[in-house]
Amino acid sequence: MRYYTRKLGFYLVALWAALTLNFFIPRMMPGNPVDTLMAKLQQRGGAADPSVRRSYELLLGTDTGDPLVSQYLSYLAGLLRGDLGVSVSVFPTAVSEVISEALPWTIVLVGIATLLSFLLGVGLGTVVGWRRGSWLDSLVPATTVLAAVPYFWLALILVAVFASALRWFPVNGGYDVILDPGWNGEFIASAAYHGVLPALTIVISSVGGWLLGMRNMMVSTMSEDYVLTARAKGLREGRVMTRYAARNAVLPSVAGFAISLGFVVSGSVITEQVFSYPGIGMRLLQAVENNDYALMQGIFLVITVAVLGANLVVDLLYGLIDPRTRAGH
């Protein structure tokens, strides 16, 4: 129990530190979201008098007349109420609404792509590691080269070949614009069709890392006593590979997979930008371009909570899977 209590306390402190950085970092950036709104108002012929500016400052929580400490305490109080503020990028929409609209797109796309790349990488890594020295082992460098390819370059290649040249898939977007978003077969099919190339980009870029990691762990595990004992007992090769070698070799990959799930909510900014995909990455880029403090803080908050939550789950599961991690606690 002491082990779990210490872990929980550590992550609560880490969450507080992340929230504090989340508040101060956007305010250290050049520019001001109020200036952005005032410029938009002037372009539309609106009056840019001091009272309007004051109203925007109060609305966005960037009142320069209040001490920074007071703004910080108001920020924490707003988080406790679930109030993430108002977005400048899509004014006057609430930040929580903007995130709730974009987050499902990213979770589905990046989540499925991450799961597929993990399963493919671990499965292939298990077979390649078990048959080290074979022709399969010589293919590993080719997959690791793909992991070093920049996301945007690979995405552009896929667009040029499969979208522009062959016209098998759409060039950009998350769904057919003539459809109304909803939980119906036609819209889901359109969203899946538009998500093929972005997902393929993520899978191709990340599968090599999972494969290489699992392959190396399999090679290391095969020399362990319990694997040698299982072979000496005359057990089938397939059973030794899956039940003894792969079962222990996959533990670091499982930990890495759980942590990577935490980054799913952050999406792939570059991939979403290339494909004009309506995910959280596009919203984050839009927030940075418009000095949208509230939206940036809201997105970073969701990412932080997801990553810390994934790490906490990994630590707790490791305490259950491997009791040695609790030794001394």
Side-chain angles (χ1 to χ4, degrees), residues 15-305:
L15 177 61
W16 169 78
L19 293 178
T20 302
L21 290 174
N22 194 23
F23 171 80
F24 284 104
I25 289 178
R27 284 161 174 77
M28 295 170 62
M29 296 174 60
N32 190 313
V34 177
D35 293 336
T36 303
L37 280 181
M38 294 294 289
K40 291 181 179 180
L41 182 63
Q42 288 179 323
Q43 289 175 355
R44 296 172 183 174
D49 55 78
S51 62
V52 175
R53 183 179 184 86
R54 176 64 176 169
S55 299
Y56 279 152
E57 287 178 346
L58 293 174
L59 179 64
L60 299 177
T62 58
D63 184 9
T64 55
D66 288 342
L68 201 58
V69 175
S70 299
Q71 296 181 39
Y72 175 64
L73 294 177
S74 299
Y75 161 74
L76 293 179
L79 291 182
L80 293 176
R81 298 192 304 268
D83 181 12
L84 300 180
V86 177
S87 172
V88 173
S89 307
V90 283
F91 187 82
T93 308
V95 169
S96 56
E97 184 178 343
V98 175
I99 294 177
S100 64
E101 290 176 355
L103 194 57
W105 290 95
T106 294
I107 290 178
V108 171
L109 172 67
V110 186
I112 292 177
T114 302
L115 179 61
L116 287 176
S117 61
F118 172 76
L119 294 177
L120 280 173
V122 167
L124 293 174
T126 299
V127 176
V128 171
W130 186 255
R131 299 179 181 178
R132 59 175 177 173
S134 65
W135 65 271
L136 289 173
D137 210 5
S138 62
L139 298 178
V140 173
T143 61
T144 54
V145 167
L146 292 175
V149 174
Y151 268 50
F152 72 91
W153 186 84
L154 181 59
L156 290 173
I157 292 296
L158 292 179
V159 168
V161 175
F162 295 104
S164 298
L166 299 177
R167 299 185 182 278
W168 289 354
F169 299 100
V171 176
N172 53 34
Y175 59 94
D176 195 334
V177 294
I178 65 173
L179 299 176
D180 293 324
W183 293 103
N184 55 76
E186 188 177 10
F187 175 77
I188 293 174
S190 176
Y193 179 55
H194 281 71
V196 169
L197 287 185
L200 190 60
T201 302
I202 298 172
V203 170
I204 293 176
S205 298
S206 56
V207 70
W210 296 116
L211 190 155
L212 182 62
M214 186 62 183
R215 183 262 179 200
N216 292 339
M217 285 304 302
M218 280 292 292
V219 171
S220 176
T221 305
M222 284 168 58
S223 61
E224 295 291 340
D225 292 339
Y226 53 83
V227 175
L228 299 177
T229 302
R231 278 178 158 174
K233 289 181 178 180
L235 298 178
R236 290 183 296 106
E237 286 289 293
R239 184 178 181 185
V240 176
M241 179 180 72
T242 56
R243 296 289 297 277
Y244 291 85
R247 184 176 181 181
N248 290 277
V250 80
L251 287 177
S253 295
V254 170
F257 175 68
I259 293 173
S260 68
L261 286 180
F263 288 98
V264 163
V265 297
S266 65
S268 175
V269 177
I270 300 299
T271 302
E272 292 184 5
Q273 178 71 9
V274 171
F275 292 99
S276 298
Y277 197 79
I280 206 73
M282 283 287 291
R283 289 301 187 187
L284 179 58
L285 184 62
Q286 185 180 15
V288 173
E289 291 175 345
N290 290 278
N291 293 318
D292 193 343
Y293 290 173
L295 185 54
M296 278 190 282
Q297 289 177 169
I299 293 175
F300 289 149
L301 173 64
V302 173
I303 295 173
T304 299
V305 171

